[in-house]
Amino acid sequence: MNFNDRIESLFESYQQQRNSLTELQEKMRALTATATSPRREVTITVGQNGVMTDIKFPTGAHKRLTPVDLTELIMTTYAEAKEDVMQQAAATLAPMLPDGMDAQALVRGTAGTDAFLPKEPRMVTSVREMLTQARTEQ
């Protein structure tokens, strides 16, 4: 494969990655999760970033709760919905990540620096080969 063909191949690969990233962003934006308390006092929906987008009281059961109990129930139900959407986000993101990168840690914001900038830079094999070839030709 000559140099121009390799460059063209790299550009095609780049465009495919860019299209995949656009699709990923659309899928991530569309994620939602809904949780309902066990006795149907409250139903909470969250968006992909865990922000509450809806809260409903499908029955009158919430009226029998004290404010403290209702608050606790809302927070517990919200946490369930948020956990669900975080699981969905990690599952959506995982196929796009390099081997060894933890999608759960990325989604939860607990990934260390090495997850983003490893000690040794990642490089596509074809780029590494081109750089090696260029050095030997000098």
Side-chain angles (χ1 to χ4, degrees):
M1 181 182 285
N2 70 31
F3 186 75
N4 287 336
D5 290 342
R6 290 180 100 172
I7 294 295
E8 187 64 34
S9 174
L10 287 173
F11 278 119
E12 287 174 18
S13 175
Y14 172 79
Q15 192 59 47
Q16 289 172 348
Q17 290 175 355
R18 188 169 162 76
N19 292 342
S20 293
L21 183 57
T22 299
E23 289 175 24
L24 174 68
Q25 288 175 320
E26 290 170 3
K27 287 178 184 177
M28 293 292 280
R29 274 193 295 271
L31 294 177
T32 65
T34 300
T36 301
S37 61
R39 290 194 238 150
R40 299 185 37 82
E41 299 96 340
V42 64
T43 297
I44 295 177
T45 301
V46 297
Q48 67 76 217
N49 54 5
V51 172
M52 188 183 309
T53 58
D54 193 24
I55 185 168
K56 293 180 181 169
F57 301 95
T59 67
H62 70 281
K63 295 176 184 176
R64 294 188 295 272
L65 298 173
T66 66
V68 170
D69 289 341
L70 180 58
T71 300
E72 184 177 320
L73 187 63
I74 289 171
M75 294 305 291
T76 300
T77 306
Y78 166 71
E80 289 175 23
K82 186 175 177 185
E83 178 61 25
D84 185 2
V85 84
M86 297 287 253
Q87 294 288 335
Q88 290 179 50
T92 302
L93 184 60
M96 296 289 294
L97 298 177
D99 290 341
M101 194 172 276
D102 184 355
Q104 287 287 341
L106 286 173
V107 167
R108 295 173 191 286
T110 59
T113 303
D114 287 345
F116 300 99
L117 294 173
K119 292 177 184 174
E120 292 294 322
R122 292 182 185 100
M123 192 178 303
V124 176
T125 303
S126 57
V127 171
R128 192 176 302 276
E129 289 170 359
M130 287 175 56
L131 291 174
T132 301
Q133 183 181 1
R135 286 182 188 142
T136 59
E137 291 175 359
Q138 290 180 354

